[in-house]
Amino acid sequence: MNTTRWATLVAGLAVGAAACGAGGAGSAAAAHVNSNSIDAAAAASAASGKVLVKTRKASPYGTILTTSAGKTLYIFTEDGKGKSVCNGSCAAEWPPLTAPKGDSVSGVAGLGTIKRSDGSRQVALRGQALYRFVGDTAAGQVKGQGDEGDWFVATPSGASHAKPVTAKPTPTKSSPPSGGGYGY
């Protein structure tokens, strides 16, 4: 078994054990999160004692935040500053980006952690919790944008929970009005 696969297996088992030990996440939810949210780059990053957040351009959203493996990060507008309210089945669909105790977070100014209700440390940007989306199965996907009107891509400026990032409409060329004009 190569090192990357071993790291992925170990990280998956750790997440599963934490989910089951957190009281109520059940093994089905833990398996769902593990199969969709753990990837080799994230496991390697976790093994190094660092959680790295990166940026990339994503048309039409501009510069957005991603995991070290390129998976899009999101904010939940129902969260308060410094508080995550996405737990249970919500967290199974929107896995929080977490940092084990003692690990550092880096990559973008303003990163830190907040304490979740289960005691784990969730990565946050200026107090706004960051999440992944299980529907984004490959790097570069942005399938969670605007989900239920509460989930939006995170940006380096924080994708303020007061003004979530949304796609900007593409201007269209309009033709001059016809008829009724005086033509001068």
Side-chain angles (χ1 to χ4, degrees):
M1 183 177 285
N2 69 32
T3 305
T4 303
R5 290 183 73 161
W6 179 252
T8 300
L9 176 63
V10 170
L13 291 173
V15 170
C20 291
S27 60
H32 181 69
V33 171
N34 290 343
S35 67
N36 290 299
S37 65
I38 301 297
D39 53 40
S45 179
S48 72
K50 295 180 185 177
V51 176
L52 182 64
V53 173
K54 294 183 173 187
T55 61
R56 73 171 173 79
K57 298 281 186 187
S59 182
Y61 311 109
T63 301
I64 66 170
L65 301 183
T66 71
T67 65
S68 59
K71 300 250 181 115
T72 302
L73 293 172
Y74 297 87
I75 62 153
F76 182 41
T77 59
E78 298 296 316
D79 284 345
K81 187 170 184 169
K83 182 162 178 65
S84 170
V85 296
C86 180
N87 298 297
S89 62
C90 175
E93 188 171 349
W94 295 92
L97 180 62
T98 58
K101 185 176 176 107
D103 283 8
S104 63
V105 294
S106 64
V108 178
L111 285 176
T113 60
I114 61 172
K115 189 174 182 180
R116 292 182 52 80
S117 61
D118 65 3
S120 64
R121 295 172 55 224
Q122 184 168 359
V123 178
L125 182 67
R126 293 179 196 88
Q128 184 67 53
L130 297 175
Y131 301 86
R132 291 159 293 162
F133 176 54
V134 296
D136 290 344
T137 57
Q141 294 180 334
V142 187
K143 293 180 179 179
Q145 174 65 10
D147 189 52
E148 297 183 24
D150 291 321
W151 294 94
F152 299 92
V153 294
T155 68
S157 62
S160 166
H161 55 281
K163 291 186 174 186
V165 172
T166 57
K168 294 178 183 165
T170 305
T172 58
K173 293 182 180 180
S174 58
S175 56
S178 61
Y182 294 127
Y184 26 111

